[in-house]
Structures are given as C-alpha cells and as structure tokens.
Amino acid sequence: MLARVTGSPAPSRGALARRLNLGDAVVIGLGSMIGAGIFASFAPAAAAAGVGLLIGLVIAGFIAFCNATSSAQLAAQYPTSGGTYVYGRERLGEWPGFLAGWSFVVGKTASSAAMAITFATYAVPAAWLKPVAILAVVVLTIVNTLGITRTALLTRILVAISLIALTVAIVIGFTHTSASATEPGTAVTVYGVLQAAAFLFFAFAGYARVATMGEEVIDPARTIPRAITIALTVTLVVYALVAVSALHALGAAGLASATAPLTDVAATTGAEWPGVVVRVGAAAAALGALLAMIAGIGRTSLAMARNRDLPSWFAAVHPRFHVPYRAELTLGLLVCVLIAVTDLRGAIGFSSFGVLLYYFVANLSAWTQDRANRRYPRALAVAGAIGCLVLVVALPVGAIVAGIVVLAVGVGYRVIRLRVGR
C-alpha cells in the first residue's frame, strides 16, 4: 500500500508534484462534468427516450454515485496517478488493470474530440467547426504541458463562466416555451430510457477525473473522496434543473432535434443577448471539460507507460513543469485526427462504451477491498458494476462494435508486448 501523503514535498525525478488542494480538485471534477453533459448529451438522450430522459438521468446519476463511492475509497488507498488502471492492477491483476486503463484512454480520447466539437458548435459557424475544434485542442494541450496549477486555474475560470450561463438558461427555460414544446416526442420505452441513461452517463463521467491525478493532490487520502463527492452532488443538482427547464422550454421533440439545445432555449425569449451568454458559457464549459480530460488521460497514460502497458517513451515527466508532456502532446495529435473523421453522436457513444467498462473494473476492485479501507457498503459496488454492464448493452450497436474492436487492438498489443518481453 502506498503511504499517506500529507504535505507537498519536492517531486523526485520522474515524479509529479503535489500542488492541488481540495478547491482545485473540486473545480477539476466540475470542469470535467459540466461541459461534458449539459451541452452535448441531452439531445441524443431526448432522441432515444423523449421525456423519459428524466428517468434516464436518475438512472445515470445513481450509477455514477455508485461508481463515485468506489473510486473515492480506492483513491484514498492508492493515491497515485492512473486511477482505475492502478486500482485494477492492485486488486484484480494486471489484465483487468490494463483493460481499465486502455478503455479509459481510448474512451476519453473520444470524449475529448466530442468536447472540442461541442465547443466549436457553440462558438463558430458550421463551416469553421472542425478547424476551430482542432485549434482548441492544440491550445489546451499546450496549457496542460505548462503545469497542473495552470490547468486548475484556467478550469476555475471556465467553470465560473459556465455556471453563469447555465443560470441564465435555467431561468429562461422555466419562464418561456417554444412552439415545439407541445409536439409529441419519442415514445418512452425501457430500451430508450436505458439508452438515454447510457448517453447521459457520459455527462457524469468526469467526477473521478481527480482520482487519476492522485500523485498531484495534497493529502490525497482525505482530499480525493471529498472532492469527488462534492463535485458529483453539485453536478447532479445542476443537471436536474437544466433537464427539466429545457424540456419545459422546447419539449422532448424540440430538444431531440436541437444541435445546440440551450441556445434554442435562450432563443425562446426573442432577444439576442441570452443566446450570446449561453453560447459563451457553453463554449467555456466544453473547453473546461476538454482541459481536464487531457490532463486525466495524460496521467493514466503515464501510469500505463511506467508498467510498459503503453510504450515507455510516454513515461517521461518534464523536468520543469512536472507533467507527462509526451503523453499529452501525443494525445493532442490523436484527438485532432479523431475530430477530422467523426461526429458528436458517434464520439459520445464510443466514449460511453470505454468509460463504462473502466468503472466496471473500478467497482469490482472496490468490492475486493478489506473492511479497513472500505468507506461504503459493498452493495454500492455491486450495483455500480451491474449498472455499467446494463448501460453498455443499451448503447447503439455501432458504438458497441467499435468499442469491442478497439479493446481487441489493445489486447493484441499487450499480448505481443509480453511475448517480446519474454
């Protein structure tokens, strides 16, 4: 077991620096979730389930809560970079850890592309969408390579802007309606509700981002569980308010067909300024999520490279900024390529597949913890594991097939690497 760390000592060569306090950790968690869900996943959820997306939101929130409790108690026991990749290796063995890490890296790479596309959708005309999305990835990748405290500061600013815009959208949504509000939406079915929950789970998946940065958090055994709980609670409240207000303003049919749902909510006032505020907030939220994702994927890649589950070249830590700069720069390049060849809905579905498998391993790992390190009932880990599998099955077939193919590629890579190592 790793020792509890209570200070912020100078990092050793190849190690990351402990610079994040509770406030920084909460903000990074909020930045990862607020942008991911509200501005990207409500439309496909409404298309799948109509007004049943509210039930899907409850299901996704409950599964996220179960996963959060598992992640929190694991992070307290293993306060190092890598998140569930490390927990899986320690509790279940090398292969489950690898599958969790691989699922996280590929799933969150798709999430990063989705957030960059979301940013550009709200920020610029359609003709400029992909070039601007790629430019955003380049800029934020550079910010991440300059140090984790700069990442936390920029995320704090972006989250504040996002919450102001969301407040405006919520007030408008509860006080205005459009013509589409009375149109019938998609019929509510069990499968549709579960698929909506799978899409909306994408919105919650940033709550444990700080767990992947356990090597950079001050007093991680205490800070990480508190940060995860606070960030998830705030996000649940915000999501519920946004979902109900958006359905009130647009109706299920209008929400399902919207490319920028909260901009459409703002447009119900007939004035221009609410739309401008919402677009700025949406762009800021997407950038905040993208910034935190790049940081989280970089730390998981670092942990995997240290064990040669990714090429050891990615294990390099910058001597001045103490970040896994090679992993982050490579990630930025891959996200730019993905932006060029995918759309938002496809990226969300593929991302959800990878992230659900990641948390499935987290729940199994938490179930094996002894009583001294368990902070929550085992029943929550069981419920989280079952919930993750149910939502994976409910995803669109294309997302499932793509996810299985990418998992097979990862397994093939590791098998070859182990044979060459022998």
Side-chain angles (χ1 to χ4, degrees):
M1 185 188 302
L2 298 177
R4 177 183 174 97
V5 179
T6 57
S8 182
S12 61
R13 184 176 179 82
L16 305 180
R18 294 194 183 276
R19 295 172 174 169
L20 300 177
N21 58 30
L22 177 62
D24 295 328
V26 170
V27 167
I28 288 175
L30 288 174
S32 300
M33 287 185 283
I34 296 295
I38 293 181
F39 300 103
S41 60
F42 277 123
V51 295
L53 78 87
L54 294 176
I55 304 173
L57 181 63
V58 173
I59 294 172
F62 174 71
I63 295 173
F65 171 74
C66 294
N67 296 344
T69 58
S70 293
S71 297
Q73 64 187 26
L74 286 162
Q77 185 175 358
Y78 303 102
T80 187
S81 292
T84 300
Y85 167 70
V86 174
Y87 314 149
R89 283 178 63 93
E90 293 289 338
R91 307 302 313 176
L92 304 174
E94 292 185 1
W95 270 108
F98 171 80
L99 292 175
W102 183 262
S103 296
F104 180 86
V105 169
V106 297
K108 285 305 176 182
T109 298
S111 292
S112 298
M115 284 304 95
I117 293 170
T118 301
F119 159 72
T121 297
Y122 280 92
V124 297
W128 289 90
L129 192 150
K130 292 201 172 184
V132 170
I134 290 172
L135 178 61
V137 172
V138 171
V139 172
L140 294 188
T141 300
I142 293 172
V143 170
N144 265 304
T145 60
L146 296 178
I148 191 63
T149 53
R150 290 172 176 82
T151 299
L153 174 61
L154 181 55
T155 302
R156 193 182 295 270
I157 295 169
L158 294 173
V159 167
I161 295 171
S162 304
L163 290 176
I164 292 171
L166 287 174
T167 301
V168 172
I170 289 168
V171 171
I172 292 172
F174 278 122
T175 56
H176 295 76
T177 57
S178 68
S180 66
T182 58
E183 296 177 7
T186 303
V188 179
T189 64
V190 173
Y191 177 74
V193 168
L194 291 177
Q195 190 170 102
F199 281 125
L200 292 168
F201 183 83
F202 167 83
F204 290 101
Y207 53 80
R209 186 79 68 256
V210 69
T212 66
M213 303 176 189
E215 200 170 316
E216 296 161 280
V217 175
I218 299 169
D219 192 8
R222 182 170 182 267
T223 300
I224 292 177
R226 293 176 65 198
I228 290 174
T229 303
I230 293 170
L232 179 59
T233 300
V234 172
T235 302
L236 276 168
V237 173
V238 173
Y239 280 13
L241 290 172
V242 171
V244 175
S245 65
L247 282 172
H248 178 267
L250 302 179
L255 184 58
S257 62
T259 56
L262 295 192
T263 298
D264 290 357
V265 170
T268 60
T269 65
E272 290 189 11
W273 71 266
V276 173
V277 172
V278 169
R279 282 188 175 276
V280 171
L287 288 179
L290 177 57
L291 186 66
M293 284 179 197
I294 293 173
I297 300 168
R299 274 66 185 175
T300 300
S301 299
L302 169 68
M304 296 181 73
R306 284 171 171 171
N307 292 309
R308 297 185 62 204
D309 279 336
L310 286 179
S312 57
W313 185 81
F314 292 121
V317 174
H318 196 282
R320 177 182 174 189
F321 299 119
H322 306 293
V323 296
Y325 67 104
R326 289 179 182 172
E328 291 183 341
L329 291 173
T330 303
L331 166 68
L333 177 61
L334 290 176
V335 173
C336 289
V337 172
L338 195 56
I339 289 169
V341 300
T342 192
D343 60 17
L344 182 59
R345 184 185 177 93
I348 290 176
F350 178 72
S351 170
S352 293
F353 179 92
V355 175
L356 283 164
L357 290 183
Y358 175 84
Y359 285 113
F360 174 73
V361 174
N363 284 303
L364 293 184
S365 301
W367 187 83
T368 68
Q369 286 180 287
D370 56 35
R371 182 168 296 179
N373 291 294
R374 199 183 315 129
R375 302 180 178 211
Y376 305 96
R378 272 184 168 171
L380 290 177
V382 173
I386 294 173
C388 286
L389 290 182
V390 170
L391 295 190
V392 164
V393 174
L395 285 169
V397 175
I400 296 173
V401 171
I404 291 173
V405 169
V406 172
L407 274 182
V409 170
V411 170
Y413 162 77
R414 190 166 194 268
V415 168
I416 293 172
R417 198 269 296 171
L418 290 174
R419 289 183 177 178
V420 171
R422 292 195 189 99

